[in-house]
mmCIF file of all heavy atoms in Angstrom:
data_model
loop_
_atom_site.group_PDB
_atom_site.id
_atom_site.type_symbol
_atom_site.label_atom_id
_atom_site.label_comp_id
_atom_site.label_asym_id
_atom_site.label_seq_id
_atom_site.Cartn_x
_atom_site.Cartn_y
_atom_site.Cartn_z
ATOM 1 N N LEU A 400 84.496 101.819 93.658
ATOM 2 C CA LEU A 400 84.030 103.114 93.042
ATOM 3 C C LEU A 400 83.668 102.954 91.632
ATOM 4 O O LEU A 400 82.858 103.750 91.152
ATOM 5 C CB LEU A 400 85.266 104.091 93.139
ATOM 6 C CG LEU A 400 85.632 104.585 94.588
ATOM 7 C CD1 LEU A 400 87.058 105.272 94.584
ATOM 8 C CD2 LEU A 400 84.644 105.531 95.101
ATOM 9 N N ASP A 401 84.213 102.006 90.925
ATOM 10 C CA ASP A 401 83.878 101.863 89.553
ATOM 11 C C ASP A 401 82.646 100.975 89.220
ATOM 12 O O ASP A 401 82.289 100.632 88.078
ATOM 13 C CB ASP A 401 85.013 101.210 88.771
ATOM 14 C CG ASP A 401 86.257 102.191 88.676
ATOM 15 O OD1 ASP A 401 85.961 103.422 88.618
ATOM 16 O OD2 ASP A 401 87.393 101.788 88.653
ATOM 17 N N ALA A 402 82.033 100.500 90.358
ATOM 18 C CA ALA A 402 80.789 99.599 90.072
ATOM 19 C C ALA A 402 79.812 100.405 89.328
ATOM 20 O O ALA A 402 79.447 101.584 89.644
ATOM 21 C CB ALA A 402 80.274 99.200 91.453
ATOM 22 N N ASP A 403 79.115 99.863 88.291
ATOM 23 C CA ASP A 403 78.268 100.534 87.428
ATOM 24 C C ASP A 403 76.822 100.216 87.883
ATOM 25 O O ASP A 403 76.560 99.496 88.909
ATOM 26 C CB ASP A 403 78.377 100.201 85.942
ATOM 27 C CG ASP A 403 78.077 98.819 85.691
ATOM 28 O OD1 ASP A 403 77.444 98.055 86.495
ATOM 29 O OD2 ASP A 403 78.628 98.259 84.608
ATOM 30 N N LEU A 404 75.827 100.890 87.316
ATOM 31 C CA LEU A 404 74.480 100.886 87.714
ATOM 32 C C LEU A 404 73.881 99.398 87.663
ATOM 33 O O LEU A 404 73.078 99.024 88.425
ATOM 34 C CB LEU A 404 73.636 101.807 86.900
ATOM 35 C CG LEU A 404 72.123 101.955 87.322
ATOM 36 C CD1 LEU A 404 72.047 102.465 88.800
ATOM 37 C CD2 LEU A 404 71.366 102.920 86.363
ATOM 38 N N HIS A 405 74.356 98.600 86.608
ATOM 39 C CA HIS A 405 73.948 97.212 86.541
ATOM 40 C C HIS A 405 74.297 96.513 87.853
ATOM 41 O O HIS A 405 73.459 95.785 88.348
ATOM 42 C CB HIS A 405 74.552 96.551 85.326
ATOM 43 C CG HIS A 405 74.041 96.957 84.075
ATOM 44 N ND1 HIS A 405 72.628 96.722 83.720
ATOM 45 C CD2 HIS A 405 74.571 97.501 82.925
ATOM 46 C CE1 HIS A 405 72.390 97.176 82.526
ATOM 47 N NE2 HIS A 405 73.553 97.595 81.975
ATOM 48 N N GLU A 406 75.531 96.580 88.269
ATOM 49 C CA GLU A 406 76.016 95.853 89.465
ATOM 50 C C GLU A 406 75.193 96.392 90.747
ATOM 51 O O GLU A 406 74.868 95.665 91.600
ATOM 52 C CB GLU A 406 77.485 96.052 89.675
ATOM 53 C CG GLU A 406 78.062 95.341 90.826
ATOM 54 C CD GLU A 406 79.652 95.488 90.943
ATOM 55 O OE1 GLU A 406 80.136 95.942 89.963
ATOM 56 O OE2 GLU A 406 80.080 95.108 92.011
ATOM 57 N N LEU A 407 75.064 97.708 90.826
ATOM 58 C CA LEU A 407 74.501 98.345 91.883
ATOM 59 C C LEU A 407 72.935 97.889 92.006
ATOM 60 O O LEU A 407 72.478 97.667 93.092
ATOM 61 C CB LEU A 407 74.576 99.850 91.841
ATOM 62 C CG LEU A 407 75.878 100.437 92.050
ATOM 63 C CD1 LEU A 407 75.929 101.987 91.670
ATOM 64 C CD2 LEU A 407 76.254 100.327 93.509
ATOM 65 N N ALA A 408 72.300 97.744 90.861
ATOM 66 C CA ALA A 408 70.917 97.353 90.871
ATOM 67 C C ALA A 408 70.729 95.990 91.336
ATOM 68 O O ALA A 408 69.781 95.655 92.132
ATOM 69 C CB ALA A 408 70.357 97.558 89.432
ATOM 70 N N GLY A 409 71.685 95.149 90.931
ATOM 71 C CA GLY A 409 71.568 93.724 91.370
ATOM 72 C C GLY A 409 71.792 93.606 92.844
ATOM 73 O O GLY A 409 71.046 92.750 93.540
ATOM 74 N N ILE A 410 72.592 94.447 93.473
ATOM 75 C CA ILE A 410 72.776 94.400 94.909
ATOM 76 C C ILE A 410 71.656 95.021 95.623
ATOM 77 O O ILE A 410 71.128 94.477 96.739
ATOM 78 C CB ILE A 410 74.066 95.146 95.255
ATOM 79 C CG1 ILE A 410 75.270 94.327 94.732
ATOM 80 C CG2 ILE A 410 74.298 95.311 96.758
ATOM 81 C CD1 ILE A 410 76.571 95.022 94.940
ATOM 82 N N ALA A 411 71.152 96.106 95.173
ATOM 83 C CA ALA A 411 69.944 96.815 95.798
ATOM 84 C C ALA A 411 68.778 95.996 95.867
ATOM 85 O O ALA A 411 67.942 96.143 96.787
ATOM 86 C CB ALA A 411 69.702 98.166 95.050
ATOM 87 N N LEU A 412 68.556 95.116 94.885
ATOM 88 C CA LEU A 412 67.387 94.289 94.914
ATOM 89 C C LEU A 412 67.491 93.089 95.914
ATOM 90 O O LEU A 412 66.506 92.500 96.206
ATOM 91 C CB LEU A 412 67.121 93.691 93.524
ATOM 92 C CG LEU A 412 66.711 94.720 92.457
ATOM 93 C CD1 LEU A 412 66.673 94.088 91.094
ATOM 94 C CD2 LEU A 412 65.336 95.312 92.842
#
Side-chain angles (χ1 to χ4, degrees):
L400 291 165
D401 290 331
D403 63 23
L404 187 58
H405 284 302
E406 182 179 349
L407 290 167
I410 294 174
L412 291 172

